[in-house]
Amino acid sequence: MTSTLESQPQQREETREVRVAVIGSGFAGLGMAIRMREMGIEDFVVLERGPDVGGTWRDNTYPGAACDVQSNLYSFSFAPNPDWPRTYSEQPEILAYLQGVAARYDVLRHHVFGADVTGAQWDAEARRWRVQTSTGEVSARVLVSAAGALADPSYPDIPGIEDFAGTVMHSARWDAAHDLTGERVAVIGTGASAIQVVPAIQPVAGSVTVYQRTPPWVIPRGDRPTTPLERRLYRRVPGLQKAVRGVLYASREFLAVGITKNPRFLAPVQKLARTHLERQVRDPQVRATLTPDYTIGCKRILISNDWYPAVTAPNAEVVNAGIAEVRPHSVVTRDGVERPTDTLVLATGFHVTDLPIAHRITGKDGRTLADVWTDGMATNRGSTVAGFPNLFLLVGPNVGVGHTSMVYMIESQVAYVANALQAMDDEGLVTLETTQAAQDAYRALIAERSAGTVWLDGGCGSWYLDEHGHNTTLWPDFTFRFRRLTRTLDRDNYVGTTA
Ligand code: N01
């Protein structure tokens, strides 16, 4: 489905006016679009830089890409899918699910694909957001950024990497046309993406060398195909699937106790991970290389049954000497060893604490979000920022979760933004802006709850923490507490103006 903006990108000169512009069409942008339609709001546009919906699930097509949260939980609560083929779905099924939801809830006609948002400024006179995109300009009363935290790949700054003569692929920008059969592949990184891609490519590659900076803790993956009986039952008795979802939610929330309250409660999980490693890796030296020296949960807990078998296969090797440089046909480690290499796979993560979209959104006083966040990302409820009227962030600062489904957090935030839109309607408000005091109080709450979490005390460095060592990415508590905080609009924390 196309829109005027999309179909006439060159000819269009006038600015399209909408009530709400949403940036991004992943889980968050779609959830927001669906919710607005439910509220009777049709005057909105979703600006999506890619060619399709799906966000990270459209972009991450590397072999083995899958979700490490069960699909019965990692899906919209209002759109259960009785037909998930596996308990933990793979990327193509999740993308198909999102495409199906977008079609079913009829939000595609609100989309402009190929619309990369290059800038957005608050126009104080018009009291609107002026949004520039690669397909034209939009003027919106309200701007919702659902651009995602795992949207922009982070490329490592390794000497010589730009002169590498072979193929270089980031895990989030996979080139499916490139055949790895028989190649000498170097994988940089051992995070959630690497532990999925390595087992998928190791059987076909000539060799795989994994350059590890920090070993991850890995626990078994309880994945299995769903049975026809299960699927039939879910179709006939939707309440059953809902109950399963509830059980999954509750069991995962137990992890929040250890992660955010007292890391001692993580001891059994760490024991499980250690046993998993010991069972799958016999060689004591390799085992030592693969054993983390920090508390489990400090970095994301990874789940895999085939990571250890893959990295200990005869054609694989884990190297933790550190990369000194990349040469046109090889990788050289700090111990002086040079390994001939055909393809470099960069499983090196994303820009999370330095969100690129933050450089593009300019508030009331002419400063961008990045400018006002130089000493760390701060918001009210992960959703609004003082000095940025009528701007809402989805999957913004301190909304991330490592132990459960991001979709739960997204739905909490979407409800919050919906309440804000409703309040604007009810009170006839033209602008709504959170106060600095509310933002400071929320920041203090995040700092207080982050103290004692395994992310700060677990003995590791991670992208969860910003350059000042503060947690600006994850929600440091039970997720139901975030839902409670965002269930209604904290109206006292906002200043509204009428026409
Ligand atoms: O990225 P990461 P990811 N030289 O940042 C290493 C989600 N996700 O794409 O740990 C050498 O976690 C870095 O080393 P270190 C999920 O939220 C979900 O894997 O910093 N190495 C690390 O090992 C996840 O948390 C699923 O020492 C360098 C790796 O690269 C998030 O995406 C699946 C380096 C980066 O790990 C990101 O995961 C996949 C350098 N210069 C991803 N720079 C699901 O299943 C970085 N590294 C839902």
Side-chain angles (χ1 to χ4, degrees), residues 414-454:
V414 164
Y416 185 74
V417 178
N419 284 332
L421 293 175
Q422 192 61 55
M424 289 179 83
D425 262 353
D426 294 346
E427 298 179 43
L429 299 178
V430 179
T431 68
L432 188 68
E433 181 187 346
T434 195
T435 62
Q436 185 65 45
Q439 184 170 301
D440 293 345
Y442 192 72
R443 188 177 202 173
L445 176 132
I446 293 289
E448 181 211 308
R449 295 203 187 163
S450 296
T453 60
V454 69

Side-chain angles (χ1 to χ4, degrees), residues 56-57 60 62 64-69 74 88-89 94 150 154-158 170-172 188-196 211-216 221 294 299-300 302-303 322-323 334 346-350 352 401-402 406 461-464:
T56 195
W57 295 106
N60 282 270
Y62 59 81
C67 189
D68 55 14
V69 176
Y74 195 83
Y88 290 80
S89 292
I94 302 172
L150 302 173
S154 168
Y155 291 87
D157 188 14
I158 298 172
H170 192 282
S171 53
I188 302 179
T190 51
S193 301
I195 78 147
Q196 294 182 334
Y211 292 89
Q212 169 183 277
R213 199 161 63 177
T214 318
R221 185 180 177 88
Y294 54 86
K299 285 170 177 287
R300 190 180 178 94
L302 305 185
I303 61 164
I323 300 173
R334 292 209 188 99
L346 309 176
T348 44
F350 300 87
V352 186
V401 285
M406 262 316 287
S462 75
W463 57 260
Y464 296 162

Side-chain angles (χ1 to χ4, degrees), residues 11 33 55 82 161 170 191 196 212 214 230 250 357 377 397 408 414 430 471 476:
Q11 302 92 311
I161 199 164
H170 192 282
Q196 294 182 334
Q212 169 183 277
T214 318
E230 253 174 307
I357 193 75
M377 299 190 285
Y408 181 90
V414 164
V430 179
N471 165 33

Side-chain angles (χ1 to χ4, degrees), residues 273-287:
R274 198 176 283 281
T275 308
H276 189 48
L277 170 68
E278 286 167 0
R279 277 209 188 118
Q280 294 199 320
V281 181
R282 295 284 170 204
D283 183 317
Q285 222 172 333
V286 181
R287 214 187 256 175

Side-chain angles (χ1 to χ4, degrees), residues 51 61 68 76 83 103 137 153 201 203 209 219 221 256 264 272 279 282 296 298 329 355 368 385 411 414 478:
T61 57
D68 55 14
F76 287 122
D83 296 318
E137 183 159 310
I201 64 173
T209 305
I219 59 173
R221 185 180 177 88
R264 272 188 308 166
L272 175 70
R279 277 209 188 118
R282 295 284 170 204
I296 196 167
C298 187
H329 299 283
L355 296 175
T368 63
V385 183
E411 288 193 33
V414 164
F478 297 110

